Amino acid sequence: GAGVSQSPRYKVAKRGQDVALRCDPISGHVSLFWYQQALGQGPEFLTYFQNEAQLDKSGLPSDRFFAERPEGSVSTLKIQRTQQEDSAVYLCASLWTGARPDTQYFGPGTRLTVL
Amino acid sequence: DQQVKQNSPSLSVQEGRISILNCDYTNSMFDYFLWYKKYPAEGPTFLISISSIKDKNEDGRFTVFLNKSAKHLSLHIVPSQPGDSAVYFCAAGGGKLIFGQGTELSVKP
């Protein structure tokens, strides 16, 4: 595909369930970012990968959040024992290394609702 | 603490007039700023950017102004069109982005 894709687009989870959110970046994009966007707020950085290496995970809100990108392409954001405060849109973005920052391309997001 | 702030949650403008969206930041180390546009149920789309070595960047109907001494930037859209109605986010950073809260622009025909 031409753009960043994310799945599922919508996810409803019961409190305490584990969820896995997938991101397919643009082919050839080395850098991948995850952001969390709460209702009425701007996206907030969660974590960053360069190829398969997770170089920055300073934005992950707790140890219930885990991200991986084992082959340097598709990435999965996993949230264990979901809580209501995890309800948000999770955005993935990819970037071609060496490009200016403005070429960070975002996917449509996964809207997570925790009941 | 919010390092990038957009103090106006919403803005309504008549078609053909100028839209001015404002953004303030607190960290003087930021050296790159971007504006993104977001439609409902879509991810943010890059609009325009500016480096801290410049004070203005223009792209068609969109111009971004940077006032480093005031730690303020603004996005001007002239002329505004109904299709510009969206949420606009300013962001700072060169990889990991720090976003403002967004301003919802409504351009009325």
Side-chain angles (χ1 to χ4, degrees), chain A residues 7-8 11 18-22 34 76-79 82 110 112:
Chain A
S7 60
K11 176 70 179 176
D18 298 348
V19 298
L21 314 179
R22 177 186 169 107
W34 283 98
T76 303
L77 176 67
K78 297 178 179 177
I79 309 173
T82 51
T110 294
L112 172 65

Side-chain angles (χ1 to χ4, degrees), chain A residues 4-6 91-94 105-109, chain B residues 42-44:
Chain A
V4 178
S5 61
Q6 292 186 245
L91 294 162
C92 173
S94 72
Y105 294 92
F106 281 82
Chain B
E42 295 184 12

